Amino acid sequence: LQGQYTFTTDASSLVLYVESTNETAEFYVDDVTITMVSPPPGEVEIILENSFEDGTTQGWSPRGDAVLEASTEAANTGDYSLKTTGRVNGWNGPSLNVLGLLHKETTYTFSVYVRLVEGQPASRLILSMQRTPLEGDTAYEWIAPSAEEGVTDAEWVHLQGQYSFPADVTELILYVETNDAGAEVEFYIDDVTITSVAQKPIQTDIPSVYQTYADYFPIGVAIEPQQLDDARHADLLKMHFNSITAENVMKPGSIQPTEGTFNWANADKLIQFAKDNNIQVHGHTLVWHQQAAEWMFQDAEGNPLEPTPENKALVLQRLEDHIRAVAGRYEADVSSWDVVNEVIDPDQPDCMRRSSWYELTGMDYIVTAFNVAHEVAPNATLIINDYSTTNVQKRACIVSVVQELQAQGVPVSGVGMQMHVNIENPSAETIEETIETFAALGVEVHITELDMSIYTNDSDKYTIVPEDVLIRQGYRYRDIFEVLRRQADHIGKVTFWGMADDHTWLKTWPTTRTNLPLLFDEQLQAKYAYWGIIDTAQLPVLLQQLNTPKGTPRIDAWPDLLWTLLPSTQMTSGSEPAAGFQTRWDDGYLYVYVDVDDKTREAGDTVEIFIDENNGKTEAYEDDDRHYTFGLNTRPPAGVKVFVWPKPGGYRLEAALPMQATATTGQKIGFDIRVTDGSHADAPLSWNDWSNSQDTDTSKFGTLTLIDALKWTNAAKGTPVIDGRKDPVWFRAPKITTGTWVTGTEGATADVRVLWDKEHLYVYAVVTDPLLSKASGNPWEQDSIEIFVDQNNAKTGSYQSDDGQYRVNFDNEQSFGGSALADNIVSATKLTATGYIVEAAIKLDTVTLKKDMLIGFDFQVNDDGLGDGVRSGVVTWNDPTGQSYQNTSRFGVLKLIQFPWW
């Protein structure tokens, strides 16, 4: 049992204990150790504590129309809280003057508990600061927002965040507000604390990021102007970045909030800092559908404009005037512009987002924006910028739109890939493929908004981020920057969306949680992410994980079907694969298949396999740990079945290694493999522990997770008519049945058959579902089937360009994911007495189908079991993870067969 723990406030008692879910269980404990993962934080000083237990407001005063009173109706601790009523605007609420308590260039932690008064609708509450500097405009800054789903009257919610201000101020007011939707909501606050956190100086003895990449591309960073007032942030920027992007202050709504009124001060501040420090500036952005200058779409009374020829001309003129003013003012200072931002929608037939810009002007606003920007800033790179550019459909849309603009002579000179990636997706291969696709348009590719969420979904949250997650992030940054260096000739600039983890939009989007997406931590110290792109030798060993399906192969060193169903895990030497391996298991054995490239034959050619059966990850061998050495001329130990056989340019090895205890599904086994070329015995190649300490230390082994057998089926050759009727040709195909429950344990299921011809897969599914519903507006929650195809059977952790998700509901309405396109599917449905039938033809556009080919494939049934718009059942043929829409690694497999008489 191993885990991490921290506590953040003083305690009167700390008791470590071991418990059991079985009340009567007897057990032993042994080898208890406690080690410090990171040093304690700097000295913490309590600046303020308000618990309202004296029955007063303790200095808090109403903001706007709010009415405050100490109340005993509800309390987080004790008997009292501070109740707020009488609100009519979102900014109304309790406020506290903290001007005399806080000091510039000091980081403070703010904490408050909030809860709604009984009967109030859920609303988003936000702890904020009103700050007025000696010179400049008043700023209203969020410290700790609640999650977007809001606070309720059912429980207290803890809002906590860090805040610092960079320069002298005339006003500091702490307050609690709501979003506009909750303008009249009544709420309580309790247990307000402010503590100071000692700051660390930035590291000056590590390499500069931009200097390290000087031969490749500039390294940029998005910032807010107030960050420049803090010496530590300014020094970090100057040391590591040679380009800056305005995170918000150059967006249309910020720089020209009303017609003819420009807020130049903040943008000018960034520009002047860049000039003083010989730093490039990337302009963001001239056109966006969010944070837009909304007055451009309104008449003199503030009413929305109707789409008429006159209003189109008016809006285009307003846009032209805006770009002439902004791009013209900074013509000598901005080297590149995001001219239009996020204008692509792959779900639209013309690929264009239905924004106010589009509704009023069609594509003409894009043409106008680029033409005017080029006229007033002729030397700047002009970019169309967007997110999710690795999505195959969106990427194709961007290519189509850029080509259309180029055909019109519109001066698009760059494509911006925002690159808000996560710790797993998209794959480095997909990123490289996307860069190459855009570069083929003859434009520069800019990585404009790079950060990396430590989460792969919108729901997970860490209280303390595990060390191994940050190590994985370091390796992921390594892999991405290997791609960027290879593609440097096509890349104009790489920009991070933030300097350090103390300031990132991912703390509040898509939900409020701890997220650490950047190169430097919240104390501005270099992370594993930094070392991943600077010096990978500084990264700890990454504990990799592999799924091992159940299966019993014949030990003959021959790649029979069991081994060909999955791709091998590659071990590389330099840039070339040197060996590949796979694993399988059954009750008594772990099976390993190794394919080694080695053009010379020496006695020292060996494959070593290391097993830690209880996955103890100990620094010394235990009784369950084993080390096997195999070569062309070695004798296997007793009980071990092994076969080694030469092949052209190398050799293959297949081994059955006995388990000490009966293996079970879900079990985790420590595992590593080391291959030695006798010609280079001093440089063995390991899968996981590149320090090659496996002989005595299991702590750096990777991990195998034992999973159920991989399902596969034959798909017979044949071409049916797609009409929802079962042609005789379908009897050639074996029937498979969905039975792997992802959501629920019962509901709609399907019997499925698959055929193929030169270009298509054909699917015939008979769905049993007595209650048909499409009450939900979300297609995945309607009664429907989904067909997943991995054309090259690569079994990757994220979708590649050959991978597609095809969804068809019982009314024959289609929707798609991955590289699936509407043009690539023809489907028909038919209602039956017990459900419905789906027949579909899917064109495979990256492979030519032929006998004995293997295709990654899975099938899913979605069931709105109660007809209430909520998906109650999800069942698949093979994949149990619920991640089939973005991960192909658990798909089943089709083997294409052809009977000789057909």
Side-chain angles (χ1 to χ4, degrees):
L1 305 182
Q2 186 177 39
Q4 291 185 348
Y5 174 79
T6 188
F7 57 102
T8 57
T9 59
D10 290 335
S12 61
S13 173
L14 282 174
V15 179
L16 182 68
Y17 63 97
V18 181
E19 60 182 333
S20 168
T21 57
N22 182 339
E23 295 180 356
T24 61
E26 299 175 344
F27 55 84
Y28 308 98
V29 300
D30 198 1
D31 298 330
V32 181
T33 61
I34 302 174
T35 56
M36 183 168 64
V37 175
S38 60
E43 183 179 350
V44 174
E45 178 186 0
I46 298 175
I47 307 301
L48 174 138
E49 288 183 298
N50 287 155
S51 62
F52 310 106
E53 290 304 302
D54 61 0
T56 74
T57 63
Q58 297 187 346
W60 288 76
S61 59
R63 198 163 185 263
D65 296 306
V67 176
L68 308 184
E69 62 173 323
S71 172
T72 58
E73 295 174 358
N76 181 57
T77 60
D79 298 319
Y80 282 87
S81 65
L82 185 64
K83 182 179 181 181
T84 300
T85 58
R87 303 173 64 250
V88 295
N89 290 291
W91 56 270
N92 295 169
S95 65
L96 182 68
N97 183 357
V98 293
L99 180 62
L101 297 176
L102 311 183
H103 303 283
K104 66 180 180 181
E105 299 183 357
T106 302
T107 300
Y108 298 92
T109 298
F110 290 76
S111 172
V112 61
Y113 287 82
V114 295
R115 180 175 179 171
L116 299 190
V117 172
E118 186 175 355
Q120 301 292 299
S123 299
R124 194 175 199 193
L125 270 63
I126 304 148
L127 181 65
S128 301
M129 184 72 76
Q130 177 178 325
R131 176 177 62 90
T132 304
L134 288 177
E135 297 181 0
D137 299 328
T138 297
Y140 303 91
E141 300 161 322
W142 285 9
I143 298 174
S146 71
E148 289 190 7
E149 55 267 28
V151 178
T152 70
D153 62 359
E155 60 183 350
W156 289 91
V157 174
H158 187 201
L159 305 183
Q160 186 176 46
Q162 290 189 340
Y163 177 79
S164 63
F165 57 101
D168 291 332
V169 295
T170 61
E171 179 183 57
L172 277 177
I173 297 176
L174 182 70
Y175 62 100
V176 179
E177 60 181 332
T178 67
N179 56 8
D180 289 341
E184 298 182 0
V185 161
E186 300 175 347
F187 57 85
Y188 310 99
I189 68 170
D190 200 2
D191 295 330
V192 183
T193 61
I194 306 174
T195 56
S196 65
V197 182
Q199 295 181 325
K200 296 179 181 178
I202 71 165
Q203 299 153 289
T204 57
D205 58 348
I206 60 176
S208 160
V209 178
Y210 85 80
Q211 290 175 3
T212 301
Y213 282 86
D215 293 337
Y216 296 98
F217 33 68
I219 299 291
V221 64
I223 61 169
E224 295 287 12
Q226 64 264 27
Q227 293 178 277
L228 301 177
D229 296 327
D230 173 37
R232 295 166 64 243
H233 285 88
D235 289 344
L236 186 74
L237 192 158
K238 289 184 287 187
M239 179 174 178
H240 291 289
F241 305 96
N242 59 347
S243 174
I244 57 175
T245 296
E247 186 175 355
N248 284 294
V249 300
M250 294 176 79
K251 291 172 180 174
S254 297
I255 207 164
Q256 191 183 185
T258 59
E259 187 167 11
T261 301
F262 290 89
N263 291 334
W264 299 119
N266 284 323
D268 284 352
K269 183 176 183 178
L270 296 184
I271 295 292
Q272 190 60 51
F273 179 87
K275 293 167 71 172
D276 292 345
N277 293 283
N278 194 32
I279 292 174
Q280 297 180 28
V281 178
H282 176 84
H284 180 78
T285 173
L286 295 175
V287 179
W288 194 25
H289 65 280
Q290 293 182 329
Q291 291 177 256
E294 297 295 338
W295 57 266
M296 291 194 191
F297 315 129
Q298 298 169 354
D299 63 20
E301 287 74 39
N303 300 312
L305 294 173
E306 296 295 327
T308 66
E310 294 77 17
N311 287 338
K312 175 179 179 178
L314 174 63
V315 170
L316 292 178
Q317 186 60 56
R318 287 171 170 174
L319 176 61
E320 178 175 346
D321 293 343
H322 176 82
I323 293 174
R324 288 190 183 279
V326 177
R329 182 182 182 89
Y330 301 122
E331 182 272 330
D333 306 308
V334 175
S335 61
S336 53
W337 277 102
D338 291 332
V339 178
V340 296
N341 190 49
E342 300 176 2
V343 301
I344 301 297
D345 182 355
D347 292 330
Q348 299 296 336
D350 60 359
C351 294
M352 299 307 303
R353 178 187 291 277
R354 281 357 187 211
S355 64
S356 295
W357 291 111
Y358 182 88
E359 297 295 346
L360 291 167
T361 75
M363 280 190 64
D364 286 355
Y365 77 98
I366 299 176
V367 174
T368 297
F370 275 99
N371 284 335
V372 175
H374 181 62
E375 183 179 337
V376 298
N379 298 317
T381 303
L382 304 181
I383 293 168
I384 179 171
N385 188 52
D386 224 309
Y387 62 91
S388 298
T389 53
T390 54
N391 175 278
V392 174
Q393 297 177 53
K394 192 160 193 178
R395 183 172 69 196
C397 275
I398 292 171
V399 169
S400 176
V401 169
V402 171
Q403 288 175 332
E404 182 179 348
L405 294 171
Q406 289 174 328
Q408 298 177 45
V410 178
V412 180
S413 47
V415 171
M417 297 172 58
Q418 290 188 9
M419 288 274 284
H420 296 295
V421 301
N422 69 42
I423 203 165
E424 290 186 5
N425 298 313
S427 68
E429 294 80 7
T430 301
I431 292 170
E432 186 156 28
E433 182 180 83
T434 303
I435 293 170
E436 291 173 342
T437 298
F438 293 149
L441 294 169
V443 299
E444 283 186 1
V445 179
H446 284 234
I447 310 301
T448 55
E449 304 180 21
L450 175 59
D451 54 22
M452 185 185 297
S453 173
I454 59 175
Y455 305 99
T456 59
N457 57 49
D458 295 348
S459 57
D460 288 347
K461 293 183 180 181
Y462 294 117
T463 301
I464 301 171
V465 178
E467 183 86 349
D468 68 293
V469 171
L470 297 178
I471 294 171
R472 284 174 58 206
Q473 186 184 52
Y475 279 92
R476 175 96 160 110
Y477 265 116
R478 175 202 66 179
D479 295 345
I480 289 175
F481 269 76
E482 285 178 354
V483 168
L484 299 183
R485 287 193 298 270
R486 281 198 299 270
Q487 296 295 327
D489 289 347
H490 301 315
I491 294 175
K493 195 177 299 174
V494 174
T495 297
F496 289 88
W497 204 247
M499 265 189 287
D501 291 337
D502 65 325
H503 180 87
T504 168
W505 72 304
L506 291 175
K507 287 185 182 296
T508 57
W509 190 95
T511 187
T512 300
R513 58 187 175 182
T514 299
N515 209 335
L516 309 174
L518 299 164
L519 301 185
F520 300 93
D521 68 16
E522 292 175 311
Q523 287 285 320
L524 312 190
Q525 307 300 295
K527 296 165 51 184
Y528 296 128
Y530 165 88
W531 291 112
I533 73 170
I534 298 297
D535 180 7
T536 57
Q538 304 300 318
L539 293 175
V541 170
L542 176 66
L543 302 184
Q544 301 179 85
Q545 300 190 41
L546 284 178
N547 288 324
T548 297
K550 193 170 188 179
T552 303
R554 184 174 62 248
I555 305 302
D556 56 6
W558 186 256
D560 53 31
L561 179 62
L562 186 68
W563 295 120
T564 59
L565 292 174
L566 293 177
S568 294
T569 297
Q570 296 299 317
M571 302 163 61
T572 60
S573 176
S575 60
E576 297 298 326
F581 72 92
Q582 289 191 56
T583 54
R584 297 291 189 275
W585 71 281
D586 60 23
D587 293 350
Y589 289 89
L590 179 70
Y591 301 94
V592 183
Y593 180 89
V594 190
D595 196 322
V596 181
D597 292 331
D598 185 352
K599 296 180 181 179
T600 60
R601 306 275 175 81
E602 292 97 5
D605 293 344
T606 59
V607 172
E608 296 168 89
I609 298 172
F610 304 88
I611 296 176
D612 172 11
E613 192 162 327
N614 69 2
N615 198 34
K617 296 288 189 289
T618 54
E619 294 183 358
Y621 268 46
E622 298 178 328
D623 290 343
D624 66 297
D625 304 327
R626 301 187 296 287
H627 172 194
Y628 300 99
T629 301
F630 303 111
L632 287 170
N633 301 309
T634 60
R635 182 183 297 275
V640 173
K641 305 174 186 177
V642 65
F643 200 94
V644 183
W645 193 254
K647 68 163 191 174
Y651 60 95
R652 299 187 183 98
L653 177 148
E654 192 171 16
L657 309 174
M659 304 287 283
Q660 294 181 358
T662 301
T664 58
T665 301
Q667 181 178 343
K668 294 184 182 296
I669 296 173
F671 177 85
D672 211 349
I673 184 168
R674 186 167 67 198
V675 177
T676 300
D677 181 349
S679 300
H680 306 282
D682 59 340
L685 178 64
S686 292
W687 169 55
N688 200 84
D689 183 3
W690 44 258
S691 71
N692 293 308
S693 59
Q694 301 100 320
D695 302 71
T696 59
D697 182 353
T698 73
S699 66
K700 303 182 186 70
F701 289 8
T703 300
L704 304 180
T705 300
L706 308 187
I707 64 173
D708 291 331
L710 174 70
K711 293 178 182 176
W712 69 276
T713 189
N714 290 322
K717 191 172 186 180
T719 304
V721 176
I722 305 303
D723 57 6
R725 294 186 174 90
K726 192 174 183 180
D727 301 345
V729 69
W730 280 114
F731 290 99
R732 301 179 189 175
K735 180 177 71 176
I736 58 176
T737 300
T738 58
T740 303
W741 288 97
V742 176
T743 300
T745 57
E746 60 181 7
T749 59
D751 293 333
V752 184
R753 299 174 190 266
V754 185
L755 295 168
W756 67 280
D757 60 23
K758 186 176 181 180
E759 293 186 330
H760 296 85
L761 283 182
Y762 301 96
V763 177
Y764 186 87
V766 179
V767 182
T768 301
D769 186 351
L771 175 63
L772 301 182
S773 168
K774 54 178 184 178
S776 174
N778 298 320
W780 59 89
E781 293 188 300
Q782 300 172 2
D783 286 331
S784 58
I785 61 95
E786 300 188 27
I787 302 166
F788 301 97
V789 181
D790 173 10
Q791 297 184 48
N792 63 6
N793 195 36
K795 296 288 188 288
T796 52
S798 61
Y799 269 37
Q800 298 179 325
S801 59
D802 68 299
D803 304 325
Q805 171 194 20
Y806 297 86
R807 184 185 298 109
V808 183
N809 72 9
F810 64 90
D811 259 350
N812 200 28
E813 295 168 332
Q814 302 170 352
S815 50
F816 311 96
S819 65
L821 300 173
D823 290 344
N824 286 351
I825 182 172
V826 175
S827 63
T829 61
K830 179 183 177 183
L831 301 184
T832 68
T834 57
Y836 60 100
I837 293 170
V838 178
E839 188 174 28
I842 297 173
K843 182 178 180 181
L844 303 193
D845 50 10
T846 66
V847 296
T848 300
L849 302 185
K850 57 185 179 182
K851 181 177 177 289
D852 294 329
M853 180 179 285
L854 300 178
I855 303 292
F857 174 85
D858 220 318
F859 188 92
Q860 177 172 309
V861 181
N862 302 312
D863 184 18
D864 175 5
L866 298 177
D868 58 359
V870 177
R871 186 169 62 174
S872 58
V874 176
V875 65
T876 66
W877 173 47
N878 189 79
D879 188 353
T881 67
Q883 298 296 305
S884 302
Y885 67 95
Q886 63 179 0
N887 182 328
T888 72
S889 65
R890 299 294 297 272
F891 288 8
V893 178
L894 298 177
K895 181 181 179 182
L896 308 188
I897 63 172
Q898 180 177 3
F899 296 109
W901 54 91
W902 282 324

